[in-house]
Amino acid sequence: MSILTAEQVEYTYQTKYQTVYALRGVDCAFEPGQMTAIVGSSGSGKTTLLSLLAGLDVPTKGCIKFRGRSTAELDRDGWRLKNVSVIYQNFNLFAHLTALENAAYPLYLQKRPKKQAEEEAACQLAAVGIQPDQYGRYPRMLSGGEQQRVAIARALAAGSELILADEPTGNLDEENSRNIFAILRELAHERERCVIAVTHDMELAQRTDRILRIQDGRIAEER
């Protein structure tokens, strides 16, 4: 059963010189336990779609629905805090926080007791292969692959049903890219998360359960 749907989604915005039609009548649905890759050339609309699915904005026309309810009707800030984690290619870790504190950060926002939050964060760091002696390290002391694992642990600690990744391997080497995609796929299959990843790497996209190819703001292919 679908947890997240896009129904006839259009998104336009105005530049100094023209109206840009970023998305044109997009229909798609996403399920728990499934990892979907969104692919397409630069400017095709894939990142715009991911932003709308994350509730960072609402469509110009059509709607994004979470469990049947339009995100336009929700307190989107509160909804994202409880239900959505976004993983970026530049990791978006806080430089002044340790790996453990970064992973626990969503739980701090949820007003969980500090000890409880950090115990949960430690469990999730271990689950993605971060060793206990790394918990006290700051992001600058970790490799790119390790920083991305911390970002994934943060998403897990948040308990989000939706894990959305925007080019999560863009700053990683080939080996780390494969490892990160394997972790994301495992989150979908073993933890019943709904995982959606934008990627330019077709080899990695082939490792997912489903591929949506966007062209000129429309879904041109699904396989």
Side-chain angles (χ1 to χ4, degrees), residues 13-164:
Y13 60 91
Q14 189 71 41
T15 70
K16 183 177 180 180
Y17 302 105
Q18 63 181 335
T19 299
V20 177
Y21 296 88
L23 294 174
R24 306 167 183 256
V26 170
D27 284 299
C28 52
F30 305 91
E31 299 178 2
Q34 183 183 66
M35 183 177 181
T36 300
I38 300 176
V39 302
S41 60
S42 179
S44 62
K46 58 187 187 297
T47 297
T48 299
L49 177 58
L50 194 77
S51 295
L52 295 177
L53 293 172
L56 297 174
D57 202 348
V58 295
T60 307
K61 292 183 180 179
C63 64
I64 303 292
K65 290 184 178 180
F66 175 74
R67 297 195 181 281
R69 188 175 177 191
S70 172
T71 55
E73 301 173 354
L74 303 173
D75 166 12
R76 293 200 315 281
D77 289 339
W79 173 72
R80 287 196 306 273
L81 181 62
K82 293 180 180 179
N83 298 286
V84 183
S85 291
V86 182
I87 299 167
Y88 298 95
Q89 66 173 320
N90 60 356
F91 320 130
N92 276 22
L93 300 179
F94 296 105
H96 63 288
L97 299 182
T98 65
L100 182 65
E101 291 166 339
N102 266 288
Y105 188 74
L107 301 178
Y108 298 156
L109 293 180
Q110 294 173 16
K111 309 300 184 184
R112 297 271 286 275
K114 188 173 187 293
K115 181 179 179 182
Q116 184 185 88
E118 294 183 356
E119 286 176 350
E120 175 63 20
C123 288
Q124 303 307 338
L125 287 169
V128 298
I130 297 295
Q131 302 302 313
D133 64 355
Q134 297 174 300
Y135 294 177
R137 297 182 186 177
Y138 293 94
R140 66 181 181 276
M141 303 165 68
L142 301 171
S143 70
E146 289 165 346
Q147 289 185 62
Q148 195 60 291
R149 287 170 186 260
V150 173
I152 293 173
R154 179 172 60 189
L156 288 174
S160 305
E161 294 182 272
L162 304 175
I163 297 179
L164 310 183

